[in-house]
Amino acid sequence: QVELAESGGGSVQAGGSLRLSCAQSGNLAGVKYMCLAWFREAPGPERERVAVLYSGGGFTTYADSVKGRFTISQDNTNKTMYLQMNSLKPEDTAMYYCASALIMAGDYCSTLPTAKYHYWGQGTQVSVSS
C-alpha cells in the first residue's frame, strides 16, 4: 500500500507562484518504476491530468494549458514529488491531486489511463485571483 500526502496549496494573485509537494510513504520496497502525476479538478466535467513524470527518469509531459509554466520533478531521496507552478492564472484555480501508478511492461506514462493510477493524495486547494 502506498500513501500520498500533498501540501503547498494556497491563495495567490495572478502571476504568482506556488510549489506543491507530494510525500510518498508505505511499502515501496521492490518498486522500480512508477508514473507520478499531478491532476486537478475544478467545477466542470472531468479531472485534468496536468503533468506526468516517469520515476525511472528522462520523461515528463504536460497539459497544453500549463506547458512552459509548470514543472514536475521528484526527489528520490525523500520520496517526494513536486509541482512548481509559475505565472499562475485564475483558470489554474482547482483542487490539485498527486497520484502514482505502478507500471508494467507495455505501460507508458504518456498514455497511461487515469484509471490505472491506484494511489491518490487527499488534494490541496490552489486559488488564483485576478
Side-chain angles (χ1 to χ4, degrees):
Q1 183 70 19
V2 175
E3 296 183 353
L4 305 176
E6 303 98 337
S7 60
S11 297
V12 65
Q13 288 193 321
S17 298
L18 285 173
R19 188 174 82 153
L20 305 184
S21 299
C22 175
Q24 301 183 78
S25 61
N27 185 10
L28 295 168
V31 174
K32 284 191 173 181
Y33 303 119
M34 305 179 74
C35 297
L36 308 176
W38 287 95
F39 290 78
R40 67 185 180 188
E41 196 168 277
E46 62 185 41
R47 186 170 290 185
E48 179 187 16
R49 191 181 71 177
V50 173
V52 182
L53 176 149
Y54 170 56
S55 70
F59 174 80
T60 57
T61 189
Y62 299 90
D64 287 343
S65 57
V66 306
K67 273 181 187 174
R69 301 187 298 122
F70 290 12
T71 303
I72 187 172
S73 62
Q74 64 173 339
D75 183 335
N76 285 326
T77 303
N78 60 17
K79 298 196 183 304
T80 300
M81 175 172 59
Y82 302 97
L83 184 68
Q84 178 66 43
M85 305 185 295
N86 298 328
S87 302
L88 282 161
K89 304 175 181 180
E91 51 263 43
D92 294 319
T93 295
M95 184 71 79
Y96 283 72
Y97 299 89
C98 61
S100 65
L102 304 176
I103 57 174
M104 294 183 284
D107 288 334
Y108 296 94
C109 292
S110 58
T111 56
L112 197 72
T114 301
K116 286 205 170 185
Y117 286 88
H118 298 300
Y119 306 111
W120 293 83
Q122 79 288 352
T124 185
Q125 178 68 38
V126 171
S127 299
V128 184
S129 58
S130 56

